[in-house]
Amino acid sequence: CLQEPDIVRCVSLSWSRCQVFIKAKMQSDDKRRAHFQNVLPFPGIKTYVDPDTYEDPTQAVHEFTKEIDPSRIRIERVIGAGEFGEVCSGCLRTPGQKEIPVAIKTLKGGYVEPQRRDFLREASIMGQFDNPNIIRLEGVVTKSRPVMIVVEYMENGSLDSFLRQHDGHFTVVQLVGMLHGVASGMTYLSDLGYVHRDLAARNILVDEGLVCKVSDFGLSRVLEDHPEPAYNTMGDKIPVRWTAPEAITYRKFSSASDVWSFGIVMWEVMSYGERPYWEMSNQDVILSIEEGYRLPVPMDCPGVLHQLMLHCWQKERGQRPHFNSLVSFLDKLIRNPTSLLTLVDNR
Ligand code: ADE
């Protein structure tokens, strides 16, 4: 627990440093008292609890998720393949008897305990969040087979493929609206002290009203079966094109490295799902960034948005904007879109 001197120390620190301090303090106070981490250090200030700090991760699942009776779930069709098994769409009967559309992630049979733990880890993380721009967890099925994670259904699927399928179809204000949603969700996460580490358009889901929500909280994917696998010199698998240089080189992941990734998401959105750095190899991307190269302005993208991307890609992480100022900036652009009319002549 935090003691009075810790609280005095926090009062004298900026909020982000205070969160880092609380987190470090909690980690040092450590796993043996993990359940104390759920006692909020300051009333009204919520911090994210890493399920790995529980001696028994099943405890975190009980703490942060609701068990769903499988009779309430109707699976309709397979919509994709997840790391641990199929992803299906279906319906969930709510306690008020209304049916809501859901996506259901399943854990395929024949798993071993560490796989079940990794699978449910994502639910323990998601269950702590409550924000309109973060994918909502409905609950889990752990007491019968198959083990399942049930989340809200997002009609338009992942943002990268959605944009590729609708190349050129949206106004700049609509695209900025999508980015505003992502930045709002990320502000919420960074305020809780949660670092995503894998922010990319493929990990954003889009609903029928074009609302974008951050998803994919299975950090294990960064380390194992990732769609963008590449090793850094330390042997970690990292999605290189989306990752800040300090995170690639010395594992310095932070909300500031998430801001770098957000800049890449901005570029993906404004280029309708183009692959960042095209066919360049990961090694060439790392070397080029080190030499100061940055992605150029996408076609038909207002200069002000490219300037914002470049701001997110500053080498010095302390000089990058925070998510809350990105939200304010994007909000102003949407309310007063005149500055979006100026394009960069990149012929
Ligand atoms: N694919 C993965 N998760 C999904 C979700 N929640 N809704 C729709 N498609 C998805």
Side-chain angles (χ1 to χ4, degrees):
C1 316
L2 293 179
Q3 304 295 314
E4 198 179 311
D6 302 324
I7 293 169
V8 170
R9 169 106 195 271
C10 258
V11 169
S12 66
L13 294 173
S14 68
W15 170 231
S16 59
R17 290 185 60 213
C18 175
Q19 280 198 313
V20 170
F21 174 71
I22 293 170
K23 218 170 166 188
K25 178 75 186 155
M26 282 177 150
Q27 274 163 4
S28 69
D29 281 355
D30 201 85
K31 299 179 182 175
R32 70 202 146 80
R33 284 173 290 157
H35 64 279
F36 272 126
Q37 297 194 356
N38 304 326
V39 179
L40 301 178
F42 302 110
I45 300 177
K46 202 174 158 213
T47 50
Y48 152 77
V49 180
D50 184 342
D52 290 345
T53 59
Y54 281 75
E55 222 162 306
D56 172 13
T58 312
Q59 193 56 38
V61 178
H62 287 148
E63 191 110 16
F64 298 121
T65 71
K66 279 191 287 203
E67 182 75 23
I68 297 177
D69 187 318
S71 67
R72 289 175 49 210
I73 301 169
R74 182 156 45 85
I75 296 182
E76 281 165 357
R77 61 193 174 89
V78 177
I79 55 172
E83 180 193 346
F84 296 95
E86 286 172 341
V87 181
C88 303
S89 62
C91 283
L92 174 70
R93 199 160 31 81
T94 63
Q97 301 297 303
K98 213 180 102 204
E99 280 207 336
I100 58 163
V102 287
I104 304 139
K105 292 187 182 189
T106 56
L107 176 61
K108 61 172 172 276
Y111 58 83
V112 288
E113 184 49 35
Q115 285 168 324
R116 180 188 131 99
R117 196 194 52 219
D118 282 353
F119 177 70
L120 289 172
R121 185 175 186 278
E122 181 175 19
S124 305
I125 296 171
M126 232 189 300
Q128 297 181 50
F129 304 146
D130 179 15
N131 181 271
N133 295 105
I134 304 291
I135 199 84
R136 189 182 66 250
L137 177 75
E138 295 295 342
V140 293
V141 176
T142 63
K143 297 199 169 119
S144 59
R145 303 288 167 266
V147 174
M148 296 185 248
I149 297 177
V150 181
V151 300
E152 67 179 306
Y153 185 68
M154 300 289 283
E155 292 75 4
N156 284 311
S158 61
L159 180 59
D160 61 339
S161 53
F162 175 66
L163 290 171
R164 281 178 208 132
Q165 285 158 21
H166 296 88
D167 193 358
H169 285 196
F170 300 111
T171 64
V172 169
V173 171
Q174 281 177 309
L175 297 174
V176 175
M178 296 177 199
L179 291 169
H180 181 275
V182 178
S184 299
M186 290 307 298
T187 300
Y188 174 82
L189 294 180
S190 65
D191 284 350
L192 287 179
Y194 180 82
V195 178
H196 192 290
R197 297 180 178 214
D198 197 11
L199 181 60
R202 64 179 170 275
N203 291 333
I204 305 295
L205 291 165
V206 188
D207 80 2
E208 59 187 343
L210 295 190
V211 174
C212 287
K213 306 198 185 192
V214 180
S215 79
D216 254 276
F217 302 100
L219 184 71
S220 63
R221 279 194 30 190
V222 174
L223 306 173
E224 283 169 29
D225 186 18
H226 194 276
E228 275 293 327
Y231 291 96
N232 66 357
T233 52
M234 293 162 125
D236 309 319
K237 272 188 180 173
I238 280 188
V240 167
R241 286 152 213 270
W242 284 263
T243 306
E246 74 279 3
I248 295 176
T249 326
Y250 60 100
R251 295 183 181 150
K252 183 64 207 163
F253 287 94
S254 62
S255 291
S257 61
D258 279 350
V259 165
W260 177 291
S261 311
F262 178 78
I264 304 289
V265 173
M266 286 187 71
W267 190 89
E268 290 183 277
V269 168
M270 299 316 297
S271 57
Y272 283 90
E274 187 92 66
R275 179 169 171 77
Y277 311 96
W278 304 277
E279 73 289 352
M280 275 170 76
S281 71
N282 283 333
Q283 201 50 42
D284 284 348
V285 170
I286 293 171
L287 292 174
S288 309
I289 292 295
E290 188 53 42
E291 287 169 4
Y293 170 84
R294 296 294 184 267
L295 283 165
V297 62
M299 201 171 62
D300 297 333
C301 172
V304 66
L305 291 175
H306 189 237
Q307 288 305 315
L308 196 57
M309 296 175 204
L310 294 173
H311 205 28
C312 296
W313 301 328
Q314 303 219 54
K315 186 173 170 52
E316 275 300 317
R317 66 191 166 92
Q319 298 192 350
R320 294 173 205 152
H322 288 230
F323 279 113
N324 57 0
S325 54
L326 288 167
V327 172
S328 316
F329 192 85
L330 295 170
D331 187 61
K332 287 195 187 92
L333 289 181
I334 294 167
R335 286 171 199 274
N336 177 11
T338 46
S339 59
L340 292 173
L341 297 174
T342 314
L343 301 180
V344 180
D345 188 354
N346 58 355
R347 275 172 297 170

